[in-house]
C-alpha cells in the first residue's frame, strides 16, 4: 500500500507473489527486470544442493527499493547482476558466473532486515482494481476511451466504491490517472513516430484538442510540438 519514488540507479527487490506496480514519469526510462525461482537455480557446471537453496530462500525475506546512498554494496551487486543477465554470452562459463552472482545477492539479502512486513496478499486495494487498470491500459493502447463505469463494471463494484478503492490504491482519482496515462502514451508516440500531433491526440484517446493541449502543457511545461523537437533526437541517440 506504499508509494516509493525511484531515482536513476535505484534497485527494487520483489518477493514471490508480492504485488507491485511500477510507473515511469519519463518517456525514455529504461528498466531491467530479472525474475527467477530461487529453488531451481542451476547452471551447466554448478548445481547447488536443494537444502542449501531452500534455507537460502527462507532467509531471504527482504524487499523494497534500495538506494546507492543507503545500500551501496547491494545496489552494486544487483546492478552488476542485471547487466550480466542482458549481456550476450562470451564464454562457456557465463551462466555459471550469473548463477554465482545471483547466489551472492540472495545471501546478501538474507543478512538485511526487511524494511516492510510480509505483504497481506488477500486484501490489497491494487489487486481489487487490477481488472480496471488492465482495461484502462488496453483502451489507451487502442486509442479508445474508457469510463469510470467501464472500469467499475470490470471489477464488479459500484462506481462510488471503485473510485474509493482506486484513490486508496493509486493516490489519484480514476479520471486524473487516466489523463496521466494518456499523456505518457502521447509523449511516447511523439518520440517514436512521425505522426501529426492531431493524430497522436486521437490515438492517445483525447477527443478534444484543447483538453489535450492544455493538459500536455501542464505536465511537460511545453507544447507537444516543442516536446518532440526538444527530446526526439536525444531519444533516438539513446535508442
Amino acid at each position: 500500500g506504499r508509494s516509493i519514488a525511484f531515482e536513476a540507479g535505484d534497485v527494487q527487490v520483489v518477493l514471490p507473489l508480492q504485488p507491485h506496480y511500477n510507473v515511469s514519469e519519463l518517456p525514455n526510462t529504461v528498466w531491467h527486470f530479472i525474475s527467477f525461482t530461487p529453488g531451481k537455480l542451476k547452471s551447466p557446471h554448478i548445481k547447488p544442493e536443494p537444502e542449501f537453496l531452500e534455507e537460502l530462500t527462507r532467509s531471504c525475506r527482504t524487499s523494497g527499493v534500495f538506494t546507492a546512498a543507503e545500500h551501496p554494496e547491494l545496489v552494486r551487486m544487483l546492478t552488476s547482476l542485471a547487466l550480466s543477465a542482458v549481456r550476450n554470452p562470451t564464454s562457456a562459463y557465463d551462466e555459471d558466473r550469473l548463477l554465482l552472482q545471483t547466489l551472492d545477492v540472495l545471501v546478501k539479502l538474507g543478512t538485511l532486515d526487511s524494511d516492510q512486513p510480509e505483504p497481506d496478499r488477500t486484501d490489497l486495494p491494487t489487486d481489487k482494481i487490477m481488472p480496471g487498470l488492465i482495461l484502462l491500459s488496453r483502451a489507451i493502447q487502442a486509442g479508445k476511451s474508457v469510463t469510470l463505469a467501464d472500469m467499475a463494471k470490470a471489477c464488479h463494484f459500484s462506481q462510488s466504491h471503485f473510485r474509493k478503492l482506486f484513490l486508496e490504491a493509486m493516490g489519484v482519482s480514476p479520471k486524473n490517472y487516466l489523463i496521466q496515462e494518456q499523456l505518457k502514451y502521447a509523449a511516447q508516440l511523439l518520440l517514436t513516430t512521425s505522426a501529426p500531433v492531431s493524430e497522436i491526440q486521437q490515438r492517445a484517446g483525447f477527443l478534444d484538442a484543447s483538453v489535450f493541449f492544455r493538459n500536455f502543457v501542464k505536465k511537460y511545461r511545453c507544447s507537444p510540438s516543442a516536446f518532440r523537437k526538444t527530446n526526439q533526437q536525444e531519444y533516438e541517440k539513446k535508442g
Side-chain angles (χ1 to χ4, degrees):
R2 293 194 301 162
S3 294
I4 305 174
F6 265 89
E7 298 289 345
D10 290 352
V11 298
Q12 180 181 19
V13 176
V14 181
L15 298 176
L17 302 180
Q18 186 176 46
H20 60 287
Y21 188 74
N22 293 66
V23 178
S24 173
E25 295 291 340
L26 301 176
N28 57 349
T29 298
V30 176
W31 298 78
H32 293 289
F33 293 93
I34 302 175
S35 177
F36 60 89
T37 304
K40 296 182 179 180
L41 287 173
K42 63 180 181 179
S43 68
H45 307 105
I46 303 175
K47 293 178 174 60
E49 292 291 334
E51 294 79 8
F52 166 71
L53 290 177
E54 183 179 346
E55 177 61 30
L56 192 57
T57 303
R58 278 200 301 267
S59 67
C60 182
R61 308 309 303 160
T62 300
S63 65
V65 175
F66 299 90
T67 67
E70 296 180 347
H71 300 276
E73 184 179 4
L74 178 61
V75 169
R76 178 189 58 76
M77 293 169 69
L78 283 167
T79 301
S80 177
L81 176 61
L83 293 176
S84 296
V86 301
R87 187 181 299 124
N88 291 327
T90 58
S91 76
Y93 305 104
D94 281 6
E95 290 187 45
D96 300 324
R97 184 171 65 248
L98 187 61
L99 170 64
L100 292 174
Q101 285 181 289
T102 306
L103 293 174
D104 284 343
V105 166
L106 290 175
V107 170
K108 178 65 176 177
L109 288 171
T111 66
L112 298 177
D113 293 328
S114 178
D115 70 338
Q116 52 185 279
E118 185 73 11
D120 179 357
R121 298 169 182 147
T122 62
D123 193 32
L124 289 169
T126 309
D127 280 353
K128 295 178 180 179
I129 65 170
M130 189 57 67
L133 287 172
I134 294 173
L135 178 67
L136 182 148
S137 178
R138 289 176 176 172
I140 292 175
Q141 295 293 326
K144 298 179 179 178
S145 61
V146 62
T147 66
L148 174 65
D150 295 330
M151 291 187 285
K153 183 178 180 181
C155 299
H156 306 289
F157 293 134
S158 68
Q159 293 185 43
S160 60
H161 187 57
F162 177 79
R163 185 187 293 106
K164 177 178 178 294
L165 288 175
F166 196 100
L167 184 60
E168 179 183 349
M170 308 305 294
V172 295
S173 69
K175 179 181 178 181
N176 288 336
Y177 182 82
L178 172 60
I179 292 175
Q180 289 177 15
E181 294 302 298
Q182 288 176 313
L183 291 172
K184 290 175 188 175
Y185 186 51
Q188 178 186 345
L189 292 174
L190 286 167
L191 295 178
T192 58
T193 75
S194 58
V197 173
S198 58
E199 179 183 328
I200 287 176
Q201 165 219 315
Q202 295 175 357
R203 287 173 62 178
F206 286 95
L207 302 179
D208 190 318
S210 63
V211 172
F212 169 63
F213 187 85
R214 183 173 66 253
N215 281 282
F216 193 95
V217 171
K218 182 179 179 181
K219 179 174 178 61
Y220 293 104
R221 300 291 188 268
C222 64
S223 69
S225 297
F227 178 88
R228 169 181 273 168
K229 183 177 180 180
T230 303
N231 296 284
Q232 193 170 49
Q233 187 175 3
E234 184 65 25
Y235 177 80
E236 290 173 351
K237 286 181 181 178
K238 292 183 178 180

